[in-house]
Amino acid sequence: MKIETTLPGLLSATLLAVPTLFGLPQAATAQDDGAKLSGNVRLGWRSTDVSGAEGKYRQHVDLDDGARLFALHLELVPGSELVDLVQVDMNDFGGDPYEGFDLRVRKFGRYDLQVQRRESSYFYEDFLIDPADAVVSLSNLGDLHHFDFERVQDRVALDLFFDRDTSLKVFFDRFTKRGEQTTVFDISRDEFELDQRIDESMNALGAALTHRFSNGSVLTLSETVREYDNLLFTFLPGFSLGENPTNGTTLDFYFLDQPYDFTTYEHRVAYNLRPNDRLAIDLSALVFDLEQDARFDEEAQGTTFTGAFYSDTTTGDASFDRQTTLLEAELSYLLNERWALVGGVGHRDLDQDADQRFGAGENLSGWQIETTSLEAGLQVAATSDLTVTFGALVESRDVTSELVEDGDSGRHEVSTDHTGGFLRLAWSPRPTLSLGANLERSSIDDPFTLTSPTDRTRLTVRGRARLDGGFFVSGEARIQEVENDATTWVADQDSLQLDVGRQTDRYEIGLGYRYVDTQRSIGPELDGATFLVPVAYDSDTGLLRGHATVRANDRVRLGLDLRSYEANGSFELERDDHRAFVEVALGEAYLVHLGLRTIDYSESLLSLNDYDADILELSLGYRWN
Amino acid sequence: MRRNAASPGDPPPRWPTLALLTAAAASVGALSWWIAAGAGPALAAGSAGAVVAAAADTSGAGLCADCHDDMVASLAGRPHSVLLDGSSHWGDGGEEGCVACHAGGVEHAESGGEAPVYAFSTDSTAQQRSRTCQSCHGAAHPRFDRSEHAKAGLDCTSCHSTHGEIETAPLLAADLVGRPSATCAGCHAGSFSDFRAVNAHPIEQGTMECTACHDPHAPATRVALGGFKQQACADCHVDKAGPFVFEHGSSIVEGCTSCHEPHGGPNRHQLTFQSTAELCTSCHLALPGFHARFNETTQCTNCHVTIHGSNLHPGFLQ
């Protein structure tokens, strides 16, 4: 399992970590010449014991047995004229689902080189219904989609600061997503599970030049090119009777090859004017040009539910154009030290056309989405403790979609107007205490979808305080009401977050609670029509978290992290995810870390998804300063 | 000009890696000369005491260090040390030393500490306070004045610490494993808790940060977080972004959050409902007659498999 990721991961970790460890004497010598090396590394072994739904465990946690580089952090100040600071960070290398690597090399005010890699695995397998209760005619066989793939994101970026006024940024990004998934093909109301190859890659190359003129204005020009390829291929692994054994539908042979690729050119120009100390005007234009091509080859052979044999081969292709234009103008004017006027106007436009031929048919589709917005606000530093900000937003959006499908054409136009306002209060009577409130209110006419809001109100109150003796308390409460006048649709959500704790030299302890109450419902009837299913979603979730770390003495540190998550309402589940660790320092530089994590997951409706897991980690750390 | 669609047998697209490497190698020599030519006395590598001493020679910060030696010394090894070390390109017009940020420093010193020095006090608006930083960093974040953070009365120093120890994410006052998102969690603890739900984006696992979707220095416009298939989502979920011959209207117009909870929640695929039947019929009230046999346990996406958009079927069946 995961041979491809495990070996390179371990190799990379070893290559970086071992020389660093054994290179300590050299580093110490270098320090005498003005260089300074600091950092830490933690290498070890993980053992896991999972019982129950292993697929669900992989979906949620996916930690596996084996050797790991849990963490590496290095900082080198070389004392060189060429480099001020080198930083290296690695985490969870050796086959974990989330691996990260960062390298940053800088000469302050001259250059900044950043190299980054992020790898993440995604696995999805869900039993939504007991197979014994599944009914094909209800199409409730569970979620037949399974996913098992890995994303890798690489980035190399270099900032060059030529002087105080001119800088250049160049970057290269690479993104890949590879693996497999299961999808479904519906024939004669029967469902067939198909395999689908996931093979996506994207490369992006970009550069941005920024220059500040003598009058203080700043011009930024940037260009980015992206190339994306998706080698999408769907096929039936062998022969299938379908999910419904009581009829005669079969699929003897099937594949659908539909690779596509696009190229995007992104052009951006921004001009920031600073005519004087009070006024700032920012203008920007951003244009995305996307051109995409696709090709289709489909071949199917089988029998319909009447027993008739069929064999079909269809080919086709498609081309797409999408242009997105964003124009923004923003203004900020300081009336005096205590009053600031801020405003912005924006226009965004998306134009998209597609031309597709598949078999004998030809389809054309087009979308145009135009949005124009205006926002203005005023900020007042009413007193040295209190800041008040208020403003209003007006936005109009026009959507036009056209579709020509096998000779039949249709056109759809929707115009949506959105008005809103906001009020924010920030009160900070002293550095250790801050309170804030935010009220937003929106009204939307003619929303695009049936369940888009026509009225939205959101009130958030937030506060933080640090008290004598290392005590702290923070909290946030939010009330959000969302309605649609036309459909009686309601989507309200209330939430609360409260944290208390104490931090001293010897220990840190904290207790937090998060509560989210969500209601989404529509009345049973609308304009005389009855909804197919009752839409009455209800969810109360709570996350209780306790956290403590104690320094027992100069050499021993203990830690505990308790998390209990619970969801009630339409979908009920419980998850306890508790962790404990003990760290023992050996000498000045070494550390032994023993960690235990236990997870207990259960769903009320279906025990097939339940699992328990115990994860034990033993690692050796090394630190140098 | 359009490229031909790739086929499974085609080699992967070839990027001019060799040319880039060659150019990079050729540039190294010139860059080394340029970097060394512009370098100051490399305070970054020096001890705190050396910084204080050198700063006195090059920028006048030594005067400040008479009383605030800890603050001056704390800049060692940090980007703002360039304000003290007399690096040539920073010294050609702008203020240097402590007064680059703390206006009124000379008067403050001459009055024996009586006259006030500018210290990002809340006596002024967020826009006013951020001007100090924007005098150098304005080109990087010109839209900050209209950001949600500025509206909340925050300035640059609310998140960025210009004095202190070197962090993994420099200048950020993060205290949770040195990650930028920890700074966000200081105020947005509720959102951070949502990432600890059963189905959530992997913020806590370290593979992404809040800034993958949110730009803390810019307004939260529809373009960034709503509409046009949500560009922020499309950076990773490219295959869901289209364009498609048959677009899912709610997705292209209202964006991904029509159906998904972006931070996290109890439902699979971070959907706003656990049941796709409930989710889909919230909008799709009028359905073809044969759908009458279905109920709330039906998985709509078992037939409508390309729900984010399809190039072959208007009903998203393939």
Side-chain angles (χ1 to χ4, degrees):
Chain A
M1 183 176 149
K2 291 188 184 171
I3 294 297
E4 299 86 349
T5 57
T6 302
L7 287 178
L10 278 176
L11 185 62
S12 305
T14 307
L15 283 174
L16 267 165
V18 173
T20 308
L21 277 172
F22 291 95
L24 183 65
Q26 287 79 8
T29 305
Q31 190 167 349
D32 297 339
D33 299 330
K36 183 183 176 189
L37 178 68
S38 61
N40 56 75
V41 62
R42 195 158 66 85
L43 284 156
W45 185 272
R46 177 189 297 125
S47 174
T48 59
D49 179 17
V50 182
S51 60
E54 293 200 15
K56 201 71 174 177
Y57 170 79
R58 282 195 67 193
Q59 182 184 329
H60 287 165
V61 186
D62 206 12
L63 296 176
D64 213 341
D65 295 342
R68 296 290 185 275
L69 170 65
F70 291 110
L72 170 71
H73 173 65
L74 287 177
E75 286 184 358
L76 173 66
V77 180
S80 155
E81 289 188 341
L82 299 178
V83 181
D84 277 343
L85 182 62
V86 179
Q87 293 170 296
V88 178
D89 283 276
M90 297 175 73
N91 64 275
D92 304 312
F93 262 70
D96 276 356
Y98 300 102
E99 297 181 342
F101 169 79
D102 289 90
L103 167 68
R104 194 167 186 185
V105 183
R106 284 186 288 175
K107 177 71 185 175
F108 301 135
R110 275 302 190 195
Y111 70 86
D112 184 351
L113 173 68
Q114 298 162 66
V115 180
Q116 185 182 79
R117 164 163 280 215
R118 295 283 180 273
E119 291 188 19
S120 59
S121 301
Y122 183 79
F123 182 87
Y124 174 82
E125 181 183 85
D126 217 346
F127 288 102
L128 299 177
I129 192 167
D130 191 324
D133 299 329
V135 181
V136 175
S137 62
L138 283 175
S139 198
N140 70 349
L141 307 174
D143 188 353
L144 300 179
H145 293 83
H146 298 199
F147 299 92
D148 188 1
F149 61 80
E150 184 171 75
R151 284 193 183 90
V152 180
Q153 291 171 294
D154 295 315
R155 182 176 180 85
V156 180
L158 176 64
D159 289 278
L160 294 171
F161 307 101
F162 297 113
D163 56 31
R164 186 187 177 91
D165 298 320
T166 307
S167 64
L168 175 70
K169 182 185 192 74
V170 292
F171 67 89
F172 175 72
D173 290 347
R174 178 163 175 79
F175 166 86
T176 60
K177 178 180 162 188
R178 295 202 167 95
E180 57 189 20
Q181 65 176 353
T182 305
T183 187
V184 190
F185 188 35
D186 184 275
I187 300 174
S188 297
R189 300 185 189 177
D190 201 351
E191 288 156 8
F192 296 87
E193 288 189 57
L194 306 177
D195 283 356
Q196 198 165 58
R197 176 184 64 192
I198 299 174
D199 189 348
E200 301 174 46
S201 64
M202 184 163 72
N203 295 306
L205 184 64
L209 180 68
T210 301
H211 180 72
R212 182 198 305 269
F213 295 97
S214 56
N215 64 1
S217 61
V218 178
L219 178 68
T220 304
L221 300 170
S222 71
E223 290 289 323
T224 305
V225 183
R226 293 183 182 84
E227 284 195 353
Y228 172 77
D229 284 276
N230 191 330
L231 304 178
L232 188 59
F233 182 67
T234 310
F235 64 99
L236 176 73
F239 162 86
S240 177
L241 290 171
E243 300 290 346
N244 189 351
T246 61
N247 64 33
T249 306
T250 67
L251 195 58
D252 303 337
F253 177 78
Y254 182 84
F255 79 77
L256 171 62
D257 188 18
Q258 48 175 337
Y260 64 96
D261 64 82
F262 67 68
T263 304
T264 303
Y265 300 95
E266 180 185 319
H267 320 280
R268 178 171 178 267
V269 57
Y271 190 51
N272 316 119
L273 291 136
R274 300 288 183 269
N276 54 54
D277 289 342
R278 296 186 180 281
L279 181 61
I281 300 172
D282 300 299
L283 310 170
S284 67
L286 182 63
V287 177
F288 294 96
D289 266 320
L290 183 150
E291 295 178 348
Q292 178 171 305
D293 290 286
R295 197 191 72 222
F296 316 111
D297 290 296
E298 183 183 35
E299 200 166 328
Q301 186 174 295
T303 53
T304 68
F305 68 97
T306 64
F309 176 78
Y310 70 89
S311 178
D312 189 31
T313 301
T314 315
T315 61
D317 57 54
S319 60
F320 304 78
D321 286 307
R322 177 190 278 180
Q323 186 173 74
T324 310
T325 306
L326 315 171
L327 304 172
E328 311 266 2
E330 292 169 50
L331 175 147
S332 172
Y333 184 67
L334 307 180
L335 301 167
N336 54 48
E337 281 208 344
R338 290 183 173 274
W339 291 70
L341 177 67
V342 179
V345 59
H347 181 80
R348 299 124 205 171
D349 181 49
L350 179 143
D351 266 304
Q352 179 175 312
D353 292 297
D355 177 4
Q356 178 243 41
R357 291 154 297 280
F358 189 52
E362 180 171 15
N363 300 302
L364 304 172
S365 73
W367 284 85
Q368 184 172 38
I369 306 172
E370 264 190 285
T371 306
T372 304
S373 64
L374 172 66
E375 185 182 43
L378 193 64
Q379 185 162 94
V380 185
T383 69
S384 60
D385 302 337
L386 179 67
T387 299
V388 181
T389 312
F390 56 94
L393 166 76
V394 179
E395 183 184 85
S396 67
R397 184 178 65 197
D398 298 310
V399 178
T400 304
S401 64
E402 294 177 275
L403 179 64
V404 179
E405 185 190 354
D406 296 333
D408 295 328
S409 63
R411 182 182 171 87
H412 191 55
E413 292 183 29
V414 179
S415 292
T416 305
D417 291 319
H418 175 195
T419 57
F422 66 88
L423 171 66
R424 287 187 176 223
L425 305 175
W427 184 57
S428 183
R430 54 183 183 272
T432 54
L433 173 63
S434 64
L435 294 170
N438 178 25
L439 176 65
E440 296 171 59
R441 168 83 184 154
S442 293
S443 176
I444 302 172
D445 293 332
D446 299 322
F448 182 78
T449 65
L450 200 59
T451 56
S452 294
T454 57
D455 290 293
R456 183 202 302 267
T457 304
R458 187 164 74 170
L459 173 64
T460 308
V461 179
R462 187 178 287 143
R464 285 199 297 175
R466 189 167 287 278
L467 312 173
D468 292 340
F471 290 97
F472 67 87
V473 57
S474 70
E476 176 192 280
R478 174 173 293 175
I479 298 170
Q480 179 171 277
E481 294 183 358
V482 179
E483 297 173 2
N484 184 306
D485 300 338
T487 65
T488 70
W489 178 67
V490 174
D492 294 344
Q493 189 172 75
D494 301 332
S495 63
L496 175 72
Q497 172 80 31
L498 189 63
D499 291 280
V500 295
R502 187 182 187 200
Q503 188 173 26
T504 70
D505 291 339
R506 187 159 172 252
Y507 67 85
E508 179 184 326
I509 186 167
L511 188 65
Y513 184 63
R514 169 71 166 169
Y515 172 74
V516 181
D517 176 16
T518 306
Q519 310 281 336
R520 293 191 177 93
S521 64
I522 308 178
E525 291 192 348
L526 175 68
D527 295 335
T530 302
F531 277 80
L532 182 64
V533 299
V535 180
Y537 176 78
D538 166 30
S539 168
D540 294 323
T541 64
L543 172 69
L544 179 65
R545 185 181 178 200
H547 169 79
T549 54
V550 179
R551 191 173 297 280
N553 55 47
D554 288 345
R555 300 214 165 270
V556 179
R557 195 166 72 109
L558 306 166
L560 198 62
D561 189 40
L562 307 175
R563 302 177 190 187
S564 287
Y565 181 79
E566 184 179 30
N568 293 304
S570 302
F571 177 52
E572 297 186 350
L573 63 85
E574 288 181 14
R575 184 181 68 178
D576 290 328
D577 186 349
H578 304 319
R579 304 154 207 229
F581 74 85
V582 56
E583 282 180 352
V584 180
L586 305 173
E588 291 302 312
Y590 289 94
L591 182 84
V592 174
H593 179 106
L594 179 65
L596 173 66
R597 180 180 176 188
T598 65
I599 306 170
D600 180 1
Y601 176 83
S602 63
E603 295 178 6
S604 296
L605 292 177
L606 191 61
S607 60
L608 287 174
N609 286 322
D610 296 354
Y611 67 86
D612 294 301
D614 295 319
I615 303 168
L616 187 68
E617 292 178 353
L618 178 62
S619 55
L620 179 65
Y622 187 85
R623 181 183 67 185
W624 55 102
N625 291 308
Chain B
M1 182 177 154
R2 291 208 175 96
R3 298 165 60 244
N4 292 326
S7 65
D10 287 345
R14 306 189 74 175
W15 280 73
T17 309
L18 185 60
L20 283 175
L21 288 174
T22 307
S27 304
V28 167
L31 276 174
S32 301
W33 171 83
W34 167 71
I35 292 163
L43 289 184
S47 65
V51 171
V52 174
D57 292 338
T58 57
S59 67
L63 183 60
C64 308
D66 288 345
C67 297
H68 307 285
D69 57 335
D70 54 336
M71 301 304 285
V72 173
S74 69
L75 291 174
R78 299 183 59 79
H80 281 162
S81 63
V82 296
L83 293 168
L84 306 182
D85 68 8
S87 297
S88 60
H89 61 287
W90 289 107
D92 56 1
E95 292 277 11
E96 287 223 336
C98 306
V99 293
C101 302
H102 300 287
V106 174
E107 295 79 2
H108 175 75
E110 288 177 350
S111 65
E114 292 296 322
V117 64
Y118 186 76
F120 301 92
S121 132
T122 51
D123 272 339
S124 54
T125 62
Q127 288 80 11
Q128 174 78 45
R129 299 195 301 272
S130 64
R131 287 283 200 276
T132 301
C133 307
Q134 287 177 324
S135 63
C136 287
H137 301 286
H141 306 302
R143 308 184 68 199
F144 177 76
D145 283 356
R146 264 194 71 218
S147 69
E148 294 301 309
H149 284 144
K151 285 177 184 172
L154 304 180
D155 61 54
C156 310
T157 60
S158 303
C159 301
H160 297 277
S161 167
T162 54
H163 297 272
E165 297 300 318
I166 300 171
E167 299 285 348
T168 302
L171 291 178
L172 285 170
D175 60 359
L176 181 64
V177 296
R179 288 182 46 210
S181 294
T183 303
C184 311
C187 290
H188 302 280
S191 299
F192 213 72
S193 287
D194 293 341
F195 289 114
R196 291 171 174 139
V198 173
N199 293 290
H201 269 116
I203 290 276
E204 195 176 32
Q205 289 85 342
T207 202
M208 63 187 295
E209 303 288 349
C210 304
T211 48
C213 305
H214 300 275
D215 183 349
H217 306 104
T221 63
R222 272 184 178 276
V223 178
L225 288 170
F228 298 172
K229 286 275 189 185
Q230 258 124 345
Q231 291 296 333
C233 309
D235 282 347
C236 294
H237 304 281
V238 193
D239 57 320
K240 310 295 188 298
F244 300 108
V245 177
F246 305 106
E247 293 277 2
H248 192 170
S250 67
S251 174
I252 189 173
V253 177
E254 296 289 11
C256 309
T257 51
S258 300
C259 304
H260 294 279
E261 294 273 15
H263 289 168
N267 301 322
R268 63 203 174 98
H269 303 306
Q270 294 174 230
L271 291 170
T272 51
F273 291 81
Q274 173 70 3
S275 157
T276 55
E278 272 190 278
L279 170 61
C280 301
T281 55
S282 296
C283 282
H284 296 281
L285 171 62
L287 297 170
F290 66 88
H291 285 76
R293 64 196 166 101
F294 297 138
N295 63 22
E296 63 271 20
T297 65
T298 299
Q299 293 305 311
C300 306
T301 49
N302 275 351
C303 293
H304 304 280
V305 291
T306 53
I307 199 63
H308 298 101
S310 171
N311 289 326
L312 292 177
H313 198 282
F316 312 118
L317 295 185
Q318 65 178 145

